[in-house]
Amino acid sequence: MPTQLHDIAPGRGHPAYHGGVSKVIVPGSSPTVPVVGLAVIVSAATAWLAVLLGAGLDAVLADRPPAAAWYLQVALALLAAGTGLVLIPVVIQRASGRMQAGVRARLLEHYLAIGPLALARGGHGQRVNTAMDAVDRMVRYRAGFTGPALAAVITPFIVLGFVAVFLDASAAAILGILLLLVPVIVLGFQRLFRSSSGAYRRAQGTLAAVFMDALRNLGMLKLNNASGWMGTKVAAAAQNVRVQVMKLLARNQLVLLVIDATFALLLLSTAALLAWWKVDTGVLGVGGGLSLLALSFLMLAPVNYVGSFFYIGMTGRTAQERITQVLTEEPHPGMLTALKVDLRATGLHLESVAAGYEDGADAISGINLSFPAGSRTAVIGASGSGKSTLLRLLSGQLETSAGLVHDTRQALGTATLRWNTAVVEQNSTLFAMSLRENLALADPQATDQEMIGLLHRVGLGDWFEALEQGLDLPLGEGGARLSGGQGQRLAIARAVLADRPVLLLDEPTSALDVHTEAQVLQLLGTVGQGRITITVTHRLSMLADYDRVVVMEAGKVIQAGRTQAVLAQDGYLARAMAAYTRRSERIGGHR
Ligand code: ADP
Ligand code: MG
């Protein structure tokens, strides 16, 4: 399937594509500073609480019930810790949403910029995987991991401060020496995780590619009874991912567990010994000793936290590297900048043009055609003769492999063609968005009134007026909630709304009933005024509506010119017309 790019091409009033993507830094600001700030507040408040409770206990033991100030402080500490704990996930959630949208938009922009051929070279499955899964992982890492991990490293030292100030300086010094092990552990882990997460990422990419292939070729697989075989392939790829994940987890989990346990044991037993010693020597009361123990638990929690976040951190980093790598691919010059041309005045011309799909031979070649300003051309020919391919080329979805598309002065690249054409495809592309958003793709500035007016003009008026949700109606995946005829009319409405100099229509009325067809053809006739319209059609009866005709056969143009002139030639069109007339006369005769 060709990459359907035109629908996302910027429309009237759309900010132009802003050009080069060299040396990319992955976009989106991560909420590291607020998250670290909040986490620091939470740990300080919790440590304070531990100290307060110990002091309270000591006071009670000494028969001095705590004063009102003590209760106030406890309440304050609880409030601070609680607020922080509630806010951290909110901050992370918000930043994640923003980052995801930002990075995906950037990738999409980039996919447009490198052009359909480069896009296909990378493999569509891999592209989708990068935009979905890799972005997810990267965002989870940047928004949800970096801040908490940093906070986890800082927290123990804050707690240590509380021990030093409120309990005992020498105990703090001894625990501090143990804490210096934390950065060593963190660095060691990064080494360890990097190698195995690479293998995992490759397996994941293969799965996505195989799966996408299966999806795209579902019809073909069904026809050839090959779905079982493909299923096995997908299952094998998925199995490989599972194996890699398990390896990654098992290895890391084990090491984590051992280090965690060792560290916990060491820290807690040291703290217990210290507490016992300090209480025994009278430096601390029983409450103070318990505070010391509680604080050492606090120092431990962040280490566990770092451990459980490592999986996210490492897969997130590889995802980020992958996204950065994708974003540094060279943009295709013709995809980047649309030339300033006026096709309404100059017409559109093809010289020895050839084009094909990702796999090899040219589907059309040796095409010499002129579409003068304001001309209305019908393209006819047997199925598979290259009509749709010609329209895809003219709409900038395919690159030429030879020859020139030009406006008599300059060659037109895919970007220029995308900006200057509006297409109605044979199978029109509708997106799983609302009716309004599907139309706004063509013109982000269009008002509801314009949209509704247009829906009426393409014969969707009655349908629309009966809708409860109006323009907010969700269309479902690929416009699944519309009938073929409705989808096609909507695609026509979108093409009209796009208001481009060239209107390309691939059998635009094939799914319509006779009444609607007449209505739509009339609309197309009106909006076609002053534009170049190129229509693939099988309706020989309508040929009189077109001033020019192009006949295609096996990827070549075999006849082209003014309709009357071509009809007068002894050739495909004259023969087809004669056969058609005989047929309709026969039908007429039987009545
Ligand atoms: P038409 O629209 O006249 O029926 P097409 O332009 O769709 O013909 O097809 C012309 C040729 O290009 C055919 O041989 C067809 O197999 C091939 N082709 C069409 N679409 C694709 C595609 N997406 N990938 C590879 N080959 C294609
Ligand atoms: Mg076709």
Side-chain angles (χ1 to χ4, degrees):
M1 189 184 278
T3 348
Q4 314 261 327
L5 293 173
H6 60 279
D7 285 303
I8 320 163
R12 164 157 63 103
H14 197 286
Y17 180 73
H18 53 65
V21 268
S22 57
K23 285 295 147 248
V24 189
I25 298 160
V26 169
S29 62
S30 56
T32 310
V33 174
V35 168
V36 171
L38 285 170
V40 163
I41 290 175
V42 170
S43 24
T46 318
W48 189 23
L49 203 59
V51 171
L52 282 174
L53 290 179
L57 184 63
D58 278 340
V60 170
L61 287 179
D63 276 334
R64 279 181 288 111
W70 183 86
Y71 287 103
L72 189 67
Q73 289 186 38
V74 169
L76 270 178
L78 276 173
L79 186 70
T83 314
L85 284 176
V86 170
L87 283 183
I88 289 175
V90 174
V91 170
I92 290 179
Q93 198 59 39
R94 289 199 148 180
S96 300
R98 268 199 314 274
M99 274 174 86
Q100 265 178 3
V103 179
R104 293 212 168 107
R106 182 70 176 272
L107 272 172
L108 205 59
E109 218 170 54
H110 175 72
Y111 286 173
L112 285 172
I114 60 174
L117 277 189
L119 202 58
R121 253 197 311 280
H124 290 119
Q126 285 280 7
R127 297 294 182 181
V128 172
N129 185 248
T130 305
M132 305 314 291
D133 184 68
V135 169
D136 260 355
R137 281 172 199 286
M138 189 205 81
V139 167
R140 225 177 307 154
Y141 160 62
R142 301 244 310 197
F145 171 73
T146 316
L150 208 60
V153 177
I154 298 173
T155 299
F157 295 94
I158 296 174
V159 175
L160 210 58
F162 273 83
V163 175
V165 173
F166 294 103
L167 299 177
D168 182 70
S170 60
I174 292 170
L175 289 175
I177 291 170
L178 280 179
L179 274 183
L180 290 180
L181 286 176
V182 173
V184 177
I185 295 172
V186 171
L187 289 179
F189 263 117
Q190 281 192 333
R191 285 279 140 67
L192 206 83
F193 272 77
R194 192 165 287 157
S195 59
S196 48
S197 71
Y200 160 74
R201 180 174 55 81
R202 278 190 296 279
Q204 175 85 16
T206 314
L207 171 65
V210 172
F211 192 70
M212 271 298 289
D213 263 357
L215 273 185
R216 279 191 290 154
N217 301 316
L218 215 53
M220 185 274 285
L221 291 170
K222 273 251 151 37
L223 275 178
N224 298 315
N225 281 327
S227 43
W229 166 79
M230 199 64 191
T232 323
K233 255 178 89 169
V234 172
Q239 175 62 19
N240 192 21
V241 171
R242 260 196 304 280
V243 169
Q244 294 299 338
V245 170
M246 288 327 287
K247 264 195 192 150
L248 190 71
L249 286 180
R251 196 163 120 198
N252 299 327
Q253 236 33 52
L254 192 70
V255 181
L256 265 178
L257 202 72
V258 171
I259 294 189
D260 255 18
T262 318
F263 186 73
L265 209 64
L266 197 66
L267 192 77
L268 290 182
S269 47
T270 310
L273 277 173
L274 280 171
W276 177 74
W277 173 44
K278 292 294 171 186
V279 172
D280 197 47
T281 53
V283 177
L284 294 175
V286 175
L290 286 176
S291 289
L292 182 60
L293 212 54
L295 287 172
S296 70
F297 266 103
L298 276 183
M299 290 185 209
L300 209 54
V303 179
N304 292 331
Y305 196 44
V306 171
S308 65
F309 265 92
F310 253 102
Y311 175 72
I312 295 172
M314 289 305 112
T315 53
R317 278 244 305 236
T318 34
Q320 176 164 330
E321 277 163 24
R322 157 120 158 261
I323 290 168
T324 313
Q325 189 192 340
V326 165
L327 287 179
T328 42
E329 288 165 292
E330 266 317 296
H332 184 296
M335 300 299 304
L336 278 182
T337 36
L339 300 173
K340 281 214 183 313
V341 293
D342 184 9
L343 300 184
R344 268 178 229 257
T346 60
L348 187 61
H349 312 271
L350 284 79
E351 227 170 276
S352 313
V353 166
Y357 297 88
E358 53 228 65
D359 35 22
D362 288 333
I364 53 174
S365 61
I367 309 284
N368 292 296
L369 284 174
S370 263
F371 302 98
S375 62
R376 295 166 50 74
T377 308
V379 179
I380 66 165
S383 124
S385 58
K387 306 181 298 292
S388 298
T389 306
L390 177 66
L391 291 207
R392 284 189 199 116
L393 176 84
L394 292 176
S395 58
Q397 300 177 66
L398 275 180
E399 290 164 46
T400 51
S401 57
L404 280 184
V405 180
H406 63 92
D407 69 345
T408 67
R409 283 171 301 190
Q410 45 196 346
L412 310 176
T414 44
T416 314
L417 289 171
R418 275 192 287 121
W419 275 80
N420 281 282
T421 55
V423 202
V424 177
E425 304 250 340
Q426 232 167 338
N427 300 308
S428 38
T429 323
L430 295 170
F431 293 91
M433 303 187 286
S434 70
L435 182 54
R436 182 187 287 102
E437 285 167 310
N438 266 283
L439 287 169
L441 282 173
D443 179 6
Q445 319 251 291
T447 62
D448 284 6
Q449 258 51 47
E450 283 180 76
M451 291 182 184
I452 295 170
L454 205 54
L455 289 174
H456 280 275
R457 286 168 73 198
V458 295
L460 286 173
D462 292 344
W463 169 76
F464 178 78
E465 295 305 334
L467 291 179
E468 239 165 65
Q469 291 152 290
L471 288 172
D472 293 317
L473 177 80
L475 293 190
E477 180 127 2
R481 294 184 51 179
L482 298 179
S483 75
Q486 288 167 337
Q488 211 162 14
R489 275 178 276 180
L490 198 53
I492 291 171
R494 195 164 59 185
V496 171
L497 201 58
D499 189 31
R500 308 283 172 82
V502 181
L503 198 52
L504 302 168
L505 306 155
D506 202 343
E507 300 185 37
T509 58
S510 57
L512 304 183
D513 59 82
V514 180
H515 173 69
T516 322
E517 177 177 22
Q519 196 181 347
V520 166
L521 282 176
Q522 201 199 345
L523 169 69
L524 289 176
T526 331
V527 297
Q529 297 288 324
R531 289 171 220 274
I532 300 169
T533 36
I534 304 173
T535 313
V536 172
T537 179
H538 286 299
R539 314 258 163 143
L540 294 176
S541 58
M542 305 281 182
L543 220 51
D545 286 350
Y546 302 93
D547 47 44
R548 290 172 173 264
V549 64
V550 169
V551 183
M552 297 197 67
E553 190 178 272
K556 308 269 186 209
V557 171
I558 54 168
Q559 286 184 294
R562 294 193 173 276
T563 311
Q564 294 313 322
V566 176
L567 273 170
Q569 290 169 9
D570 180 24
Y572 178 97
L573 190 63
R575 281 197 303 277
M577 209 56 189
Y580 168 76
T581 317
R582 270 201 307 280
R583 260 204 319 274
S584 36
E585 270 167 6
R586 244 198 336 268
I587 294 168
H590 280 293
R591 275 215 209 111

